[in-house]
Amino acid sequence: MGSNDQPPAHITFPVVATTSLLLQIGGILWTLCYILMLRESQRSKTYGMPLFALSFNFSWELVYALYVAESLLERIVFTTWMVLDIGLIYYTLLYGKREWDHAPFIRRHLGLLWVLMTVYTTVGHFAFAKWWLDNDIGKKEGRFYRGIVGPDTTELGFWTSVVSQAYLSAASLIQLLIRRHSGGVNWSIWATRTIGSITGLYLNFGTCWYFWRESNEYFMSPFSIFLWGTGLICDLAYPFVLYKLRRTERVGPDGSKTAGDNSISTGRKTR
């Protein structure tokens, strides 16, 4: 979103071209991250993306592919992520119950709970996007939507993606701490997710703010800093926890992983 924006004449830096490139790099890395998560879920017999984050992401992609995105490239990207998410959903429902032995209700109703969360988040995403677009929120010079000066979909994309990223990063770290094993994740997944977020989200919108400040002041607002700061801190803390857990976890004959202090007799330590 924002690919049709036209900065005013006094903005000499190629903001749109630069941010589009950063966004594309971030998008490629996130696509690779999804593919790596599918591969690791198959190998370690569990899911890597936290449940609510998966619902939130899938519904975001659904609403923006079908309702918000205006260019063909934007629709293709959202649709691609949505299709990859379907694979993640499959592995979550196939293997996810083994991660919920401590919560029998969730274990028994995992599929239903995921559907309910996805319906809930889809309604939320649609309601927020419709309110934003119908009321021309963020309308300002140089911001075009569907061929006319209109709502700022760049800012809309920022708020929805930064909320999603903050939650995903925090929940991923917490999930790792609770499980005490690296099932469903690995170093490559962390690297592509983190670098993709830094490039496609933080550097992208940071560039918008730095070179076109009057139209992107929201990026350095207190609430914005709180959100992207939370995501960044959690992502940077993640590898230290991952390193420690991979030294003690156990890998079963089928590739599944358990915490080192709850190992199975035939398991082996992760190298």
Side-chain angles (χ1 to χ4, degrees), residues 22 75 94 110 118 126 156 171 194 198 213 230 238 245 263:
L22 291 169
R75 293 195 182 105
L94 180 64
L110 185 65
T118 304
F126 177 77
L156 170 62
T194 302
I198 290 173
R213 192 160 302 184
T230 297
Y238 191 95
L245 294 180
S263 59

Side-chain angles (χ1 to χ4, degrees), residues 19-129:
T19 56
S20 294
L21 177 61
L22 291 169
L23 188 60
Q24 289 170 20
I25 293 172
I28 290 171
L29 288 170
W30 259 102
T31 302
L32 181 58
C33 177
Y34 280 143
I35 295 171
L36 292 171
M37 290 179 75
L38 288 170
R39 181 172 176 267
E40 185 61 28
S41 291
Q42 186 179 37
R43 291 177 58 186
S44 57
K45 306 297 186 293
T46 189
Y47 61 92
M49 186 177 291
L51 284 177
F52 187 78
L54 182 57
S55 293
F56 197 90
N57 277 12
F58 181 78
S59 59
W60 179 64
E61 291 151 4
L62 177 66
V63 169
Y64 282 70
L66 299 180
Y67 179 61
V68 178
E70 56 180 325
S71 74
L72 178 61
L73 179 59
E74 291 170 351
R75 293 195 182 105
I76 290 173
V77 170
F78 280 118
T79 302
T80 299
W81 288 345
M82 190 167 55
V83 170
L84 291 172
D85 264 347
I86 292 173
L88 297 179
I89 295 164
Y90 169 76
Y91 284 121
T92 297
L93 300 181
L94 180 64
Y95 298 124
K97 291 184 178 181
R98 66 176 65 192
E99 300 292 347
W100 293 95
D101 287 338
H102 61 287
F105 179 83
I106 297 178
R107 178 184 172 88
R108 288 195 303 270
H109 303 289
L110 185 65
L112 176 61
L113 290 172
W114 189 87
V115 170
L116 291 175
M117 287 190 296
T118 304
V119 171
Y120 175 77
T121 53
T122 300
V123 171
H125 277 301
F126 177 77
F128 184 69

Side-chain angles (χ1 to χ4, degrees), residues 67 70 127-141 143-156 159 215:
Y67 179 61
E70 56 180 325
F128 184 69
K130 182 173 175 54
W131 166 77
W132 189 283
L133 298 177
D134 287 354
N135 292 279
D136 284 340
I137 304 300
K139 183 177 180 179
K140 56 182 75 77
E141 180 186 1
R143 298 300 192 185
F144 288 83
Y145 185 65
R146 304 203 185 281
I148 60 174
V149 175
D152 187 351
T153 55
T154 299
E155 184 176 352
L156 170 62
W159 288 116
S215 190

Side-chain angles (χ1 to χ4, degrees), residues 202-260:
Y202 310 138
L203 288 179
N204 171 23
F205 287 99
T207 300
C208 287
W209 169 80
Y210 188 81
F211 290 103
W212 190 4
R213 192 160 302 184
E214 67 268 26
S215 190
N216 297 279
E217 292 180 344
Y218 56 84
F219 178 73
M220 291 301 291
S221 65
F223 186 51
S224 171
I225 294 173
F226 168 77
L227 289 173
W228 59 257
T230 297
L232 185 58
I233 290 171
C234 290
D235 284 340
L236 294 179
Y238 191 95
F240 297 97
V241 178
L242 181 61
Y243 173 76
K244 182 177 180 180
L245 294 180
R246 285 179 65 88
R247 294 181 65 188
T248 59
E249 68 187 6
R250 296 279 177 167
V251 182
D254 63 348
S256 61
K257 299 178 181 180
T258 56

